[in-house]
Amino acid sequence: MLRRRKKKNQFPVDFYGEEGSWRFVIRAMRQDEIIDAMYWCAHISCHRKDYDLLHMASDKFDCRYNYSTSDPSDLQFGLSGTPLKVTMMGPIVLISTIKERFVDAEIKPQPQQSTSNKLVHAMA
């Protein structure tokens, strides 16, 4: 007899972005945030200098960056002769924080001018 598997919705879901040696995580906490998190992860990877994720981060993660390559002329070694690996911290940013900081600020309507002001500006 076939049993139906129970679908597991395991959250949070992390999307890793990077640009060079700079790495970050955009975290979706609910199912309706997944598409937004994927979009913002790609967008911030391309425009990282426009966003200060360090001050929006809710947590951090450690990532190991290997500075040594397979080319023997490019190998960088530590003091003991082992290939150099550096542990860096990357920010974890919730997609809800990004949306309230950037998306909601753009969506808020501008204060409407009264109709008399519109007529004065139109006539000028």
Side-chain angles (χ1 to χ4, degrees):
M1 185 175 225
L2 295 175
R3 292 185 185 182
R4 288 192 166 190
R5 284 190 178 177
K6 200 176 202 180
K7 289 184 180 179
K8 292 184 180 180
N9 290 330
Q10 295 181 351
F11 284 91
V13 177
D14 291 343
F15 296 94
Y16 291 84
E18 68 178 272
E19 196 268 332
S21 62
W22 188 72
R23 294 189 173 106
F24 62 92
V25 168
I26 303 296
R27 180 168 283 175
M29 300 298 284
R30 300 187 323 259
Q31 189 170 3
D32 61 343
E33 296 178 339
I34 290 177
I35 300 295
D36 292 332
M38 292 170 68
Y39 166 79
W40 279 100
C41 187
H43 181 76
I44 292 173
S45 290
C46 295
H47 302 95
R48 74 175 183 90
K49 293 179 182 170
D50 298 337
Y51 299 94
D52 181 18
L53 295 182
L54 295 176
H55 289 95
M56 293 190 297
S58 61
D59 201 358
K60 64 184 182 311
F61 70 99
D62 293 331
C63 59
R64 297 201 67 178
Y65 188 73
N66 185 4
Y67 279 99
S68 302
T69 62
S70 60
D71 184 13
S73 65
D74 193 32
L75 280 177
Q76 298 177 9
F77 292 99
L79 294 175
S80 63
T82 58
L84 183 63
K85 292 183 189 241
V86 175
T87 302
M88 296 183 292
M89 291 186 295
I92 299 174
V93 182
L94 300 177
I95 189 62
S96 58
T97 305
I98 292 173
K99 286 173 70 175
E100 84 184 28
R101 188 108 181 243
F102 298 109
V103 177
D104 292 343
E106 294 174 3
I107 294 176
K108 288 181 183 174
Q110 297 296 327
Q112 294 290 328
Q113 294 179 350
S114 66
T115 54
S116 62
N117 286 343
K118 287 181 185 177
L119 290 174
V120 170
H121 289 295
M123 297 173 94

